[in-house]
Amino acid sequence: MSEFAANKALELRGMQVLKGLLDRDAQERMVEELRHVIRAAPLFSPVTQSGKIMSVRMTSAGRFGWISDRNGYRYSETHPDGMPWPEMPPLVSRVWDTVSGCARTPECCLINFYGESARMGMHQDIDEVDFSAPVVSISLGDDALFRVGNEARGGRTESIWLTSGDVVVMGGASRRLFHGVDRVKHGSSTLLPRAGRINVTLRVVT
Ligand code: MD3
Ligand code: FE
């Protein structure tokens, strides 16, 4: 039997939303793994090409991390401070093995931290090479209003609240959808001592 069991499974524009896949104990163990990553590879504030500082702070584990600076955004084998990324945390890998349906190993574990009033504008994740591999997202901490759109910018969108322990699998055509986070309900979860939200996304990059 798997160590993970969802409370319910929803489908949203081809994405699989597994509500409560991680129970409280698994969420706490994952936060502990992520603390080790963040200690070795501190969160940083990416700067967009236009020079704007993103409100979400980030770091990564695995072979590649996602970085953005005045030279553009890209996957990099090193943190902005120069060191290689920490190893992929084991519990995070087991979530991928349980839900991805993908034989490849994830090469990037991107960690997004949302403090008070952080948000993420609508975008596509298209810096990867192999679109047959899904993106798997794990939500921890405060509730977030997640919005999903279409394969082109604009058009009708749908929103759902993602809560701590939810896992979303973006496979098939849903892999190319525009998406973003409109707001986070600061202090809605007790998982993190000083509130906030962590989102982990697992990606195959090459
Ligand atoms: C749909 N993160 O890191 S996770 C990102 O909650 C990102 O931090 C958001 O978008 C967050 O790029 C959303 C859900 C998600 C992630 C990747 C997707 C949805 C996706 C890729 C394609 C389609
Ligand atoms: Fe994204």
Side-chain angles (χ1 to χ4, degrees), residues 28-168:
E28 288 175 1
R29 284 184 284 130
M30 190 171 288
V31 168
E32 194 50 39
E33 286 189 340
L34 299 175
R35 285 191 196 291
H36 286 94
V37 171
I38 291 166
R39 208 168 293 139
L43 291 166
F44 57 91
S45 299
V47 177
T48 65
Q49 261 163 303
S50 62
K52 285 191 190 140
I53 298 167
M54 289 178 69
S55 57
V56 178
R57 294 194 294 148
M58 296 180 187
T59 191
S60 297
R63 175 170 171 209
F64 293 101
W66 191 85
I67 64 169
S68 179
D69 57 25
R70 297 307 280 266
N71 300 314
Y73 54 84
R74 62 200 176 275
Y75 282 103
S76 167
E77 292 186 88
T78 53
H79 184 278
D81 293 348
M83 62 284 209
W85 306 100
E87 276 184 43
M88 184 78 60
L91 183 57
V92 171
S93 290
R94 292 206 295 281
V95 172
W96 172 272
D97 293 342
T98 303
V99 305
S100 71
C102 180
R104 293 194 63 184
T105 301
E107 296 169 310
C108 171
C109 168
L110 174 63
I111 301 166
N112 294 148
F113 179 78
Y114 294 75
E116 192 150 22
S117 76
R119 54 183 293 282
M120 189 177 283
M122 294 291 279
H123 67 278
Q124 283 173 303
D125 291 17
I126 50 173
D127 299 331
E128 302 79 19
V129 173
D130 181 1
F131 283 93
S132 73
V135 174
V136 170
S137 145
I138 307 166
S139 291
L140 296 166
D142 289 340
D143 303 350
L145 188 58
F146 173 73
R147 186 203 291 258
V148 61
N150 305 286
E151 287 188 31
R153 192 174 281 285
R156 293 180 65 160
T157 65
E158 290 178 77
S159 296
I160 51 161
W161 284 97
L162 293 178
T163 62
S164 198
D166 292 355
V167 171
V168 186

